[in-house]
Every structure is written in structure tokens, then in C-alpha cells.
Amino acid sequence: MASQQWRPGRRVAIAGGGPGAISTAIAFLQRGYDVRIFERQDSCKAIGGAVLLSTPVLAILRSYGMDVENFGSYTVTHFQNKWGKERVELPFNPEVEKRMGIKGWHYGVLRSSAFKAMLELVPESVIYAGHEVTAYTELEDGVEIEFNNANKVTADILVAADGIRSVVSRQAFGDPGLFHTGIRLWLAWCDHIPGIPANHGVIAHDWQYQASYFPMLHDGKPGFEWWVVEPSWEDKPLPEDPQAHLSAILRDWSQPLSRLLEATNFDSQVYRWEIYNRPSMKKWSTGRIVGIGDAVHPVSPYAAYGMGMAIEDGYYLAKSLEGVDLRDPRAVTAGFELYEKQRLDYVNHNMEFARFIGRIFHSLPWPLAKLRDLIFDFTPFLSHFLQKGYLDNSEKETLGLKELHVN
């Protein structure tokens, strides 16, 4: 395996080639480390449709050298019921906007567009496609990594960024205990439709479904992402005609949901996921192995934060190991512990909160669901719930990223 540089004490191997892996690579490269990304597919690809990225994620991408001015479409998020009755408008924090120099909080962007821009910051020599990590062996002064093609390489640390069914994470931490969360996600996108208010996103619910939409940008062009979350279970049969299935669900919902569905190509612009999680972990590292993203904390779509969290993880991990000689096991352990101190409780809270929200909206029986909807429609409970469960922690984390502030 030829590479530009692979110096003992600077060698960072990354299993997986998704957004979290690419963020990790950029952050370590910026700090003078030698990086190799090992991706099992023939190239690094972002799977799925559109995604919401929050202010701290944009600030991190900006620090990597990305132009975020025309990167995504900023959105004011409104929680509604299926008939369009407003429940909550998610507020912006003016102090966050001022410090970060980024308007709003959520930005919609097509996942492939965001990932393409990230990949452009990584030298081609760093990426080893067709290399699926199958096992590793910790050595006294490094870690030997094995691949499905019989190759091996020795690094100083190995980062598990290979997804929810991570081979590296399983070897490091044992059976992940994956479980179905009780929801299925249909995620779609379409080109721009005139007549829909700008910078306006809606998360809407009836007693068992969620149907939502946000503006987004795709290679600088405006469009929309929309999605439907429905109750599900392991081995639940798939509808023969997804378009007819979703049309039936959205038939009497407020506009523009049915218009967005009609403007969508179901062959190329719709993705389906059964949502799995794992129990929250109390450690993401062991020895010379450390995890990021779904490999250690798969996130329900109710956090709208899976890709963003993985990007953040990579930034925090590299920052925690800045200046460290990676041959020194005590210094590596200290760096991993700092990373976990900054991330673990924060991420676990968001993961568990998102999972709880999913149960609240999709698993309650009809009488309790009706009571829930009355409370959300006619009291400020949902506003307080979101503020305490989501916004307060996220704003605190963002304000703590002082090195990324512009004001």
C-alpha cells in the first residue's frame, strides 16, 4: 500500500468512507497527521436523500475550508398537526447567530451534494476503496488491520466509522444489541415548486404518522426534502406500490405535502429505512480503537442529526488528539477520554431523546395518542419539551465551540 506519508506516531486509519469518516480525515489532516480511509465499496458514497445540518455542523465544515454561504437553505421550523394548526415555531438563538455568523439553525441540503463538497477536501491518495476491514490486532506499538482482500496495514489508531453494523465496533465492544425502534422512514426530495413560502419547514403529525418538508439546495439549486415516518416493526411487509401507499397516508393532510409527492420521481428520489438503534454506550474507545457516528451511536431520524453528529465527532476526536504522538498509549488514552468527555453524554442524550420522541408519536395507543395531541395542540407543553430536551443542550454545545466563532 503506497502512500504519500505513513509516519509512526502520526498514522490514523479510518474504517468506513461516509461523512463521519471524511470529517475525521479532514480534521486529522489539518493537524498534520497521516490518514488512510478504508472503504469497502468501490468509492466513497453518501447514501440517501436530503439531510438537515445544524449551525455547529456548518461551522465545522466552514473551518475545513468549505464555502457554506450557498451550501444549504436556512429554515424556520414549524411543528404542526396534520391540518396545519401551528403547535411550535422553533426559535433561533440570536447569540448563536451572532457568534457563529450563520443565520438560523437548520439548513437543508441534498446529502450527495454535501458529501461531494466534503470529498473535494480530501486528497485521492488518502482513500483506499475496495478495502473492507474484517478484523484488527492490537500490537504493543500500534494496531494491525486486516482486509477482505488479504492485505494488512499497521496504524497507530483505528477509527470505527463503518456504520451501524460496524465490524470494528463489534470486535471492540461486543454484540451491539441492535433493536428495531418501531418506525419506518420514507425520505424523498424533489425540485423546486413555486408558491411554497421560502425558508419555511414543517414537521407535522397525526395520531400515528409524521409527514414533513423542508427547503433544501442541490448543487446550489432550490428544491425540497420531504419525508414520512410510520409505525413499523421487524419484518413488517413492504407495500407493493410505495407511491400509492404514501399517497393514501397523505390524502387529507394540509398542503403542500401531496404536491411534493406528485413532483417526486419514486425510482430515483425516494429512500426507505427501517430504523434500528443500539443501547447507549458508556465508552466509545478501547486501547487504540475509537468509534464515531453510527458505529457507536446510531440516531433516530427524530434527532434530524445523524450525519451532523458524525461530522461533529470527527472534528472533536481530532481536536482531542491534537499534537499527540500516537505511539504513546497513555497520551492516546487521554485523548480518547477527552473526546468522550466532550461528546458521549451530549450525544447519548440526543439519541435517547430522539428515540423517546419516536415512541411518543408512533407507539401510543389511540386514547393516549388523542390526549397527547390535545395537549400539543392547546398547551405550551411541546415548546417547553423541545427547549429542554433539544435546544438548550445544542445551543450550549455550539456556544462552547469558541474556536469557530467569528464574532
Side-chain angles (χ1 to χ4, degrees):
M1 292 183 182
S3 181
Q4 291 177 329
Q5 291 189 97
W6 197 236
R7 299 164 294 175
R10 316 297 289 172
R11 301 171 298 181
V12 179
I14 302 171
I22 300 303
S23 173
T24 305
I26 297 169
F28 272 106
L29 287 167
Q30 283 189 332
R31 289 163 173 82
Y33 288 89
D34 303 337
V35 177
R36 295 182 185 180
I37 297 168
F38 298 105
E39 165 56 40
R40 66 182 179 85
Q41 300 185 84
D42 57 6
S43 64
C44 293
K45 301 171 185 175
I47 301 171
V51 65
L52 289 176
L53 298 179
S54 58
T55 293
V57 181
L58 291 186
I60 287 169
L61 295 176
R62 182 177 61 193
S63 78
Y64 291 163
M66 284 180 56
D67 180 5
V68 298
E69 288 299 316
N70 197 35
F71 180 69
S73 179
Y74 99 85
T75 303
V76 180
T77 305
H78 299 262
F79 286 79
Q80 299 178 352
N81 65 22
K82 67 179 291 185
W83 296 284
K85 175 180 169 57
E86 184 92 357
R87 288 171 167 170
V88 181
E89 178 183 314
L90 208 62
F92 295 158
N93 183 320
E95 189 63 25
V96 169
E97 291 183 316
K98 177 183 175 183
R99 298 273 187 92
M100 288 297 188
I102 296 172
K103 185 175 178 60
W105 180 256
H106 280 138
Y107 280 70
V109 62
L110 199 64
R111 190 181 300 256
S112 59
S113 299
F115 192 58
K116 179 182 176 183
M118 293 177 68
L119 278 174
E120 289 174 354
L121 301 175
V122 179
E124 289 185 14
S125 60
V126 165
I127 298 174
Y128 291 74
H131 282 69
E132 180 179 358
V133 176
T134 55
Y136 67 83
T137 302
E138 288 203 66
L139 310 172
E140 187 174 331
D141 58 350
V143 54
E144 184 180 72
I145 304 157
E146 302 173 32
F147 304 96
N148 61 329
N149 56 15
N151 282 330
K152 294 182 179 181
V153 70
T154 299
D156 296 304
I157 63 171
L158 172 59
V159 180
D162 46 343
I164 189 170
R165 289 174 172 80
S166 165
V167 171
V168 176
S169 183
R170 176 178 284 271
Q171 182 177 340
F173 307 110
D175 187 331
L178 296 179
F179 58 89
H180 197 288
T181 62
I183 58 178
R184 173 184 289 166
L185 170 67
W186 300 90
L187 180 61
W189 66 278
C190 63
D191 292 331
H192 181 68
I193 299 174
I196 300 174
N199 310 117
H200 183 90
V202 169
I203 297 175
H205 291 89
D206 73 356
W207 79 274
Q208 63 176 338
Y209 296 105
Q210 183 204 134
S212 307
Y213 68 92
F214 275 71
M216 63 129 195
L217 291 182
H218 167 37
D219 292 336
K221 300 175 183 177
F224 289 93
E225 55 178 305
W226 63 272
W227 64 91
V228 171
V229 183
E230 63 174 325
S232 186
W233 54 88
E234 199 153 10
D235 300 322
K236 179 182 180 180
L238 293 173
E240 292 184 9
D241 185 341
Q243 186 167 3
H245 173 70
L246 294 177
S247 295
I249 291 173
L250 298 176
R251 183 175 295 120
D252 57 349
W253 288 61
S254 62
Q255 289 292 0
L257 285 162
S258 61
R259 293 179 63 200
L260 298 172
L261 183 147
E262 292 166 3
T264 300
N265 183 329
F266 269 67
D267 292 329
S268 60
Q269 296 174 322
V270 179
Y271 304 84
R272 174 191 54 82
W273 278 284
E274 299 293 327
I275 306 302
Y276 285 81
N277 272 185
R278 66 183 296 164
S280 299
M281 300 172 66
K282 301 193 183 302
K283 285 285 293 179
W284 294 344
S285 65
T286 177
R288 294 182 172 274
I289 315 302
V290 65
I292 69 159
D294 285 352
V296 285
H297 57 78
V299 185
S300 159
Y302 267 90
Y305 206 1
M307 179 175 170
M309 277 187 176
I311 290 170
E312 290 175 351
D313 285 349
Y315 174 81
Y316 275 93
L317 177 60
K319 186 172 72 165
S320 297
L321 289 166
E322 186 163 8
V324 169
D325 184 336
L326 299 179
R327 290 170 294 191
D328 182 346
R330 289 178 297 181
V332 168
T333 297
F336 288 170
E337 289 177 349
L338 176 59
Y339 161 64
E340 290 167 334
K341 181 179 179 181
Q342 294 174 326
R343 293 295 291 166
L344 199 143
D345 288 345
Y346 171 78
V347 169
N348 281 346
H349 169 81
N350 278 281
M351 184 173 74
E352 292 161 10
F353 181 72
R355 197 159 59 226
F356 175 73
I357 287 284
R359 289 197 300 269
I360 288 291
F361 278 111
H362 300 287
S363 298
L364 290 183
W366 161 248
L368 290 177
K370 180 65 174 177
L371 176 61
R372 173 206 65 203
D373 290 348
L374 288 171
I375 291 171
F376 287 168
D377 281 343
F378 297 107
T379 77
F381 178 81
L382 183 59
S383 177
H384 296 316
F385 186 61
L386 292 170
Q387 187 72 45
K388 295 297 181 186
Y390 171 58
L391 284 177
D392 285 354
N393 282 340
S394 298
E395 290 170 355
K396 181 180 178 181
E397 189 230 12
T398 306
L399 292 172
L401 287 167
K402 294 181 179 178
E403 72 277 11
L404 301 183
H405 294 177
V406 296
N407 295 306

